[in-house]
Amino acid sequence: MTDTPENAKTYDPKAIEGALFSKWLEAGYFRRDAAGYADMSLDPFTIVIPPPNVTGLLHMGHALNNSLQDMQIRKARMQKRPTRWITGTDHAGIATQNRVEAKLASEGLTRFDLGREAFVEACWEWRELYGRTIIEQLKLMGCSCDYEAEQFTMDEGYNRAIRKVFVDWYHAGLVYRGLRIINWCPRCTTALADDEVNHIDRDTHLWYIRYPLLEPVDNISYVVVATTRPETMLGDSGVAVNPDDPRYSALLKAGAQVRLPLTDRIVPIVADEFVDSEFGTGAVKVTPAHDPNDFELGQKHNLEQINIFTPEAVVNETGGRFAGLSRDDAREAVVAALEDLGLIDHIDEYSHSVGCCYRCDTIIEPWASEQWFVSMQQLAAPAIEAAKDGRISFHPARWQKVYFHWMDNIRDWCISRQLWWGHRIPVFYCDDCGWVDASEQDIEICPACGATVRQDEDVLDTWFSSQLWPFATVGWPDDPNAMEELSRNYPTQVLSTARDIIFLWVARMIMSSMYFLDNTVPFTDVFLHPTVLDRFGNIMSKSRGNGVDPTDLIDLFGADVMRFGLAAQVTGIQDIKFDQDKLDVYRNFTTKIFNASRFVFMNLDDFDNDGDRVIPEPVTAADSNILSKLATLTEFLNDEQNHFEFGAQSRALYSFFWNEFCDWYIEFAKSQLADPATRRSTQKNLVYVLDIALRLLHPSMPFITEDIWLRLPHGDQIPSLVVADWPKTEDLAIYADAQAERSIDLLIAVVTALRSTRARYQISPRTALPVVINATGQNAAEDVIILDKLSNQLNAMANYLDISIGIDVVKPEQSVMVLADGLEIHIVLAGLIDFDAERTRLVKEFEARKKEIERLQNKLNNEGFITKAAADVVQKSRDDLERLISENVGLQAKIMELQ
RNA sequence: GGGCGUUUGGCGCAGUGGGAGCGCGCUUCCUUCACACGGAAGAGGUCGCUGGUUCAAAUCCAGUAACGCCCACCA
């Protein structure tokens, strides 16, 4: 098809999206005051965006999350609330450093070749490039962020916030330095926090190794220990058994010692409750420097910490002849050496989970080292309280439990990273006199002795800066406007994010905000969006290569389709199995919106609204019905209970627009427009319903709605849908009209009956048919009046020859009967069909109703049901029974007649 | 080891105590004047399994199976 824009039958997002977005930006609508359209006296609505990492491009999770945030922001903006969607990017310390290092590696360089300063410079260049791309992608999606105040976690003001937090916590004793077993990534050569380690199940072996005793005890000459890491035996400094294990009581009593193979180190056998007698041999080798449990055991029993690895997890000089081997090579070599000595007792197959770096998947080496920590328990207490007393709510609510579980078992947080990209730890050391302090300002000269001081080499965990995002982004602590900003617009309203960063990020924001901002929570609602999986239900990842690029989707379908399609799949329960083909449905929806609007425009040639805001003029039942349904839709969308039910909202919009508006109202409108008596009122109603529908659709589909709305003669003087009024429940409530809905239900029942009969017997719509309708329902008299009034509409929708409607009317000969909504619809088909088939069909219907009648009779004969069920439920059963019996009387008569 | 979630027509999913629904796909008919990315009419399900509570269970409870996710110092 070669469409010109004028007669195009499909919507082309590419033609309008970019231009509209630029217009919105230039108009300043995304500022808090919406370029003057906001009512600054209303409650503000603020969202802080989860800052995307500057490591790469946006993925489907971002597309979903940012669509949902934009929907909320746009609705609030149309409600005239002061809105601000604070946006920006995260420097993402370890992730970015890895990317930049990888780039250098491709040029044959390492960060050490560049040196710290030049490497950090290279990271900034990376950040400039990707930070800009990410912001461009947000714009492509139509996100109405406050781009004029874009934030970055390494901005000057932001850095001051980090300094203050660190220094305050340091002086309060909440930040401390200590020697601990930490998670060490030998590839990134940095410490990691506990929650930055992924545990992955691996198939491996359990090696049983004989450790010879220094001197035999009761004919026992060795103990067998079981281990998954034989190479660490080079750093063993003891063997532990359970004190109650009878197998080892003699050894313990004798104070037996072990001569460690390969190193000939003599180490003690110690007793500790920690050892599980059931596991392995009940004897465990103790390597305090390379295992968290052994570290504790070692401290308790005063065992030596013997570090056998370099930072890259290569065996160091302590390993003697194994020095220089990697962890894996050392394992093979140690096992081979032990085998040569006949000390491998046996080997079992074994499967257990191994900690891996969340950034590069390298196996973590537990490593004893000096690191900085935040003491968490004191910070967690008020944050737990805030969720308990409802100052913070989780959506879906079940995530609150996950939050509590983590907070109740919180452990100290390792915040130092041996990286170069990030916020350098603001602690200064004087090597001359031993002076140490944390400082918000850089220090060069030791205040104690005047010598030159040095700053700590390490940087802070990325999440240490991310945790300050809600308040550091508005200038806390020392921007002159910060306190004003915080007093008016804090806490923010909604924090929308993925569930895998509840601990890494959400919990820590709550804790730091409450500590520094006088016990104020950073946000009142936490929304955890579903995970976007591939169409088979697998997590999307680079390694699987199953990721989908949102910009490709925007290119293919347009931003509206992607946004609506994602939002429609949010149910609060299930993750989204994303299948690109499913977006066809929503592309068809935009086509439908486009063409329905085209129909409206095509019928407005003579429409003049005198420049006033178009208000509806319900004349026919169809008019009243569509306005009533519109009122119901508006109420549904405004119901607070549905705020996070994005799927339900999308479905309500979809079915209203397609099924109510397009399938029925537009069809009714065709005949109403042809009638001079109703033409003008119908035009008004079409314009009004479309106007309101576009407003309701705008948060999820900002582009197509704006494009149509700008051309629609609704009479609203506001220059953009972005800042137009959001429909209020109470404003639409006046159109609620149960009677009109009942009328249209009846009309639809009759029309459907006629159509299905035609379809069943393949009778052309052009063949006009005589029809007799016998009203038999509870409101038969009323139904007759309603249908009489609707006979014009009826004829327009279902071509009949001549119709009579009444109670106990004479049933025509040679006709078929269809039952619908308390009506017997008789359609005269003399000479057109074989009535035997019709009779068979009716018998089937009769039997089905008979079954249902029996079921209802049993129910109503049940004493328990009558006495215990709610009155309206009992009444409904009685009504249903009465209706079915009456229908079957009619059916039986008809069947007899056809015999 | 602990916790959470899912199981509804061929596929993807709504529905949380009283009539089993939506979209895709499928069948039949229709290109007339909003839209074939469309319209009309249909077929298709004993709601994983077992037991319990209840007058009444897809819906609540217990157990069970399969799948998925999270947490945990499983040498």
Side-chain angles (χ1 to χ4, degrees):
Chain A
M1 197 187 305
T2 54
D3 288 332
T4 62
E6 289 73 33
N7 67 5
K9 291 179 177 179
T10 54
Y11 161 67
D12 178 14
K14 283 205 182 93
I16 63 158
E17 289 188 350
L20 283 179
F21 197 85
S22 301
K23 195 194 82 172
W24 296 334
L25 262 187
E26 280 159 30
Y29 295 149
F30 301 163
R31 293 180 199 140
R32 176 173 282 131
D33 71 348
Y37 290 100
D39 177 348
M40 300 308 279
S41 69
L42 295 178
D43 289 340
F45 189 85
T46 309
I47 292 181
V48 287
I49 200 171
N53 290 347
V54 292
T55 43
L57 307 175
L58 300 188
H59 54 64
M60 289 307 293
H62 293 119
L64 171 66
N65 194 26
N66 291 313
S67 296
L68 300 182
Q69 289 171 80
D70 196 41
M71 286 163 65
Q72 295 169 70
I73 282 281
R74 282 181 182 272
K75 178 177 167 187
R77 184 181 295 117
M78 291 174 76
Q79 288 172 323
K80 299 292 174 280
R81 294 172 70 175
T83 56
R84 184 167 177 229
W85 187 3
I86 297 173
T87 198
T89 49
D90 193 308
H91 71 282
I94 185 168
T96 305
Q97 172 150 343
N98 282 351
R99 293 298 175 82
V100 175
E101 282 190 282
K103 191 176 157 235
L104 289 177
S106 71
E107 297 159 18
L109 293 169
T110 72
R111 64 175 152 127
F112 300 101
D113 295 330
L114 268 71
R116 185 164 189 155
E117 210 170 307
F119 180 78
V120 168
E121 192 50 45
C123 290
W124 275 104
E125 282 166 22
W126 178 279
R127 178 261 164 181
E128 289 302 325
L129 176 64
Y130 281 95
R132 208 177 322 123
T133 311
I134 285 163
I135 297 298
E136 286 312 308
Q137 290 186 323
L138 288 173
K139 291 178 179 173
L140 276 182
M141 282 190 251
C143 293
S144 57
C145 307
D146 180 2
Y147 297 101
E148 291 175 8
E150 193 190 315
Q151 307 289 318
F152 182 56
T153 52
M154 285 172 74
D155 283 343
E156 190 42 46
Y158 207 106
N159 293 345
R160 285 198 295 277
I162 288 162
R163 279 260 177 136
K164 176 173 170 58
V165 168
F166 186 96
V167 172
D168 279 13
W169 277 352
Y170 177 85
H171 289 140
L174 289 168
V175 161
Y176 64 92
R177 189 167 153 89
L179 176 70
R180 295 288 155 84
I181 282 269
I182 45 80
N183 306 290
W184 182 264
C185 175
R187 203 218 60 82
C188 302
T189 59
T190 180
L192 295 172
D194 292 331
D195 42 18
E196 290 176 312
V197 175
N198 294 326
H199 293 271
I200 295 165
D201 280 335
R202 291 281 173 91
D203 287 328
T204 174
H205 303 283
L206 199 54
W207 285 269
Y208 289 78
I209 308 173
R210 293 176 183 169
Y211 278 8
L213 295 180
L214 193 59
E215 286 166 24
V217 177
D218 293 353
N219 289 327
I220 304 172
S221 60
Y222 61 83
V223 291
V224 178
V225 297
T227 180
T228 53
R229 299 201 58 195
E231 71 280 10
T232 62
M233 58 104 43
L234 299 171
D236 281 4
S237 55
V239 169
V241 298
N242 191 290
D244 298 328
D245 192 333
R247 291 173 291 183
Y248 301 108
S249 53
L251 296 183
L252 288 174
K253 204 182 290 172
Q257 290 179 300
V258 161
R259 180 187 291 277
L260 205 60
L262 306 181
T263 65
D264 283 339
R265 189 160 43 241
I266 301 191
V267 302
I269 298 177
V270 299
D272 199 288
E273 298 286 349
F274 167 79
V275 179
D276 176 7
S277 302
E278 303 293 312
F279 189 91
T281 59
V284 55
K285 62 194 270 310
V286 183
T287 322
H290 297 293
D291 182 279
N293 295 317
D294 295 6
F295 182 83
E296 270 180 46
L297 271 178
Q299 290 208 315
K300 219 161 133 188
H301 298 279
N302 232 349
L303 302 176
E304 198 186 347
Q305 284 174 22
I306 303 165
N307 181 11
I308 61 161
F309 288 126
T310 68
E312 290 80 22
V314 170
V315 177
N316 63 20
E317 67 284 356
T318 317
R321 61 183 161 117
F322 299 99
L325 296 179
S326 72
R327 285 182 293 187
D328 293 343
D329 292 346
R331 177 173 301 180
E332 274 184 44
V334 165
V335 170
L338 290 170
E339 253 165 6
D340 287 347
L341 295 169
L343 294 176
I344 296 291
D345 193 87
H346 66 288
I347 302 172
D348 283 351
E349 297 290 314
Y350 193 66
S351 172
H352 73 143
S353 76
V354 179
C356 297
C357 174
Y358 82 137
R359 284 300 173 208
C360 72
D361 286 332
T362 303
I363 293 179
I364 290 301
E365 190 60 50
W367 217 40
S369 65
E370 287 272 344
Q371 301 288 346
W372 287 95
F373 295 87
V374 181
S375 174
M376 299 305 286
Q377 276 197 2
Q378 181 190 331
L379 293 169
I384 292 169
E385 221 27 63
K388 279 201 173 130
D389 65 22
R391 274 175 289 163
I392 293 182
S393 314
F394 286 80
H395 311 274
R398 73 190 125 95
W399 294 108
Q400 191 188 49
K401 260 201 276 185
V402 177
Y403 171 78
F404 284 143
H405 182 255
W406 190 75
M407 293 294 266
D408 289 341
N409 297 289
I410 199 159
R411 295 158 59 188
D412 285 359
W413 172 20
C414 175
I415 52 168
S416 43
R417 298 289 179 273
Q418 289 65 49
L419 303 170
W420 287 351
W421 174 241
H423 304 90
R424 200 151 158 194
I425 289 177
V427 172
F428 299 85
Y429 305 87
C430 176
D431 292 329
D432 277 18
C433 72
W435 174 90
V436 177
D437 201 0
S439 168
E440 291 192 50
Q441 280 77 43
D442 285 347
I443 294 177
E444 281 165 18
I445 303 296
C446 173
C449 74
T452 306
V453 301
R454 64 180 169 86
Q455 185 174 359
D456 200 296
E457 293 292 320
D458 292 351
V459 301
L460 288 162
D461 179 6
T462 291
W463 300 105
F464 192 90
S465 56
S466 312
Q467 68 172 337
L468 315 179
W469 186 251
F471 50 99
T473 48
V474 297
W476 183 91
D478 52 12
D479 185 298
N481 302 317
M483 290 328 287
E484 162 83 1
E485 177 72 23
L486 289 167
S487 71
R488 293 174 75 133
N489 302 298
Y490 202 82
T492 67
Q493 273 58 55
V494 177
L495 190 281
S496 179
T497 192
R499 57 176 174 261
D500 55 357
I501 52 176
I502 293 177
F503 313 135
L504 286 166
W505 190 46
V506 178
R508 287 169 183 162
M509 281 191 283
I510 297 170
M511 291 186 276
S512 62
S513 174
M514 294 185 79
Y515 185 92
F516 286 100
L517 295 176
D518 196 20
N519 226 25
T520 309
V521 296
F523 29 74
T524 56
D525 293 274
V526 178
F527 177 72
L528 284 314
H529 66 72
T531 304
V532 184
L533 308 169
D534 75 8
R535 69 196 167 104
F536 303 109
N538 299 309
I539 287 168
M540 287 184 177
S541 67
K542 271 202 195 70
S543 53
R544 289 172 198 263
N546 59 350
V548 175
D549 182 347
T551 55
D552 288 346
L553 296 177
I554 293 170
D555 196 42
L556 282 167
F557 297 96
D560 289 335
V561 170
M562 182 185 75
R563 292 164 61 114
F564 196 89
L566 285 170
Q569 292 176 73
V570 175
T571 69
I573 304 281
Q574 305 238 53
D575 285 336
I576 296 174
K577 282 187 200 168
F578 182 79
D579 184 347
Q580 190 169 310
D581 294 343
K582 280 185 195 165
L583 287 185
D584 283 344
V585 174
Y586 304 103
R587 166 160 51 195
N588 296 352
F589 186 43
T590 56
T591 307
K592 196 72 178 174
I593 294 170
F594 181 78
N595 281 298
S597 306
R598 217 159 58 91
F599 171 82
V600 174
F601 289 123
M602 287 167 70
N603 287 284
L604 294 179
D605 290 346
D606 58 336
F607 180 69
D608 177 13
N609 65 349
D610 306 323
D612 293 331
R613 180 80 190 271
V614 171
I615 48 172
E617 192 183 330
V619 174
T620 67
D623 295 334
S624 302
N625 173 64
I626 194 66
L627 289 164
S628 185
K629 295 274 168 64
L630 186 64
T632 305
L633 173 69
T634 305
E635 186 185 10
F636 182 85
L637 295 176
N638 282 330
D639 187 340
E640 254 322 291
Q641 278 201 316
N642 296 326
H643 185 85
F644 295 105
E645 301 291 334
F646 300 100
Q649 289 182 34
S650 307
R651 267 176 270 127
L653 284 162
Y654 182 96
S655 74
F656 171 81
F657 199 92
W658 199 309
N659 303 123
E660 302 291 350
F661 185 57
C662 294
D663 287 350
W664 291 104
Y665 188 65
I666 285 185
E667 293 309 316
F668 289 131
K670 286 173 183 172
S671 59
Q672 295 184 181
L673 287 164
D675 181 350
T678 50
R679 180 169 176 84
R680 186 167 162 75
S681 59
T682 303
Q683 287 173 325
K684 283 188 189 173
N685 297 332
L686 283 168
V687 169
Y688 180 79
V689 173
L690 184 55
D691 173 16
I692 299 297
L694 290 171
R695 289 169 198 255
L696 296 174
L697 281 162
H698 182 257
S700 36
M701 303 185 131
F703 293 107
I704 186 174
T705 50
E706 169 83 326
D707 179 58
I708 296 165
W709 194 80
L710 289 176
R711 292 182 281 129
L712 190 70
H714 41 64
D716 192 332
Q717 297 308 310
I718 284 185
S720 167
L721 189 47
V722 176
V723 288
D725 286 346
W726 178 259
K728 293 193 177 106
T729 301
E730 57 268 32
D731 290 348
L732 273 292
I734 53 168
Y735 298 118
D737 189 337
Q739 209 181 344
E741 292 198 30
R742 167 73 188 152
S743 300
I744 296 303
D745 283 349
L746 267 186
L747 182 60
I748 288 173
V750 175
V751 169
T752 304
L754 284 154
R755 285 176 180 169
S756 63
T757 301
R758 285 181 195 279
R760 187 175 304 116
Y761 296 112
Q762 309 219 329
I763 296 161
S764 158
R766 293 191 190 83
T767 311
L769 300 169
V771 175
V772 173
I773 296 174
N774 192 21
T776 62
Q778 280 190 314
N779 308 310
E782 208 178 301
D783 291 351
V784 170
I785 295 166
I786 289 171
L787 286 172
D788 263 335
K789 275 194 202 155
L790 292 175
S791 59
N792 280 345
Q793 310 265 23
L794 193 52
N795 200 7
M797 301 291 271
N799 184 20
Y800 61 80
L801 189 61
D802 128 62
I803 191 162
S804 54
I805 303 160
I807 300 170
D808 289 331
V809 292
V810 179
K811 295 165 196 170
E813 305 268 311
Q814 297 278 297
S815 64
V816 301
M817 183 177 85
V818 182
L819 296 170
D821 212 351
L823 305 173
E824 283 181 7
I825 302 159
H826 302 270
I827 304 155
V828 179
L829 295 177
L832 289 171
I833 66 159
D834 169 13
F835 282 94
D836 280 349
E838 178 63 9
R839 187 176 153 273
T840 310
R841 191 184 71 81
L842 293 180
V843 168
K844 251 172 103 181
E845 282 214 13
F846 179 84
E847 294 300 332
R849 280 179 168 72
K850 204 168 133 191
K851 257 193 189 162
E852 186 63 16
I853 287 167
E854 279 163 19
R855 197 181 68 82
L856 283 170
Q857 279 171 339
N858 287 338
K859 202 170 170 183
L860 288 162
N861 287 334
N862 183 334
E863 188 71 19
F865 177 69
I866 302 295
T867 53
K868 292 186 181 170
D872 59 325
V873 174
V874 176
Q875 190 54 46
K876 189 179 175 312
S877 293
R878 290 206 169 104
D879 292 347
D880 285 349
L881 181 62
E882 195 187 324
R883 176 177 55 81
L884 286 164
I885 289 173
S886 147
E887 284 177 358
N888 258 8
V889 167
L891 273 173
Q892 196 157 27
K894 187 75 192 174
I895 290 164
M896 297 293 280
E897 179 202 318
L898 293 177
Q899 216 135 28

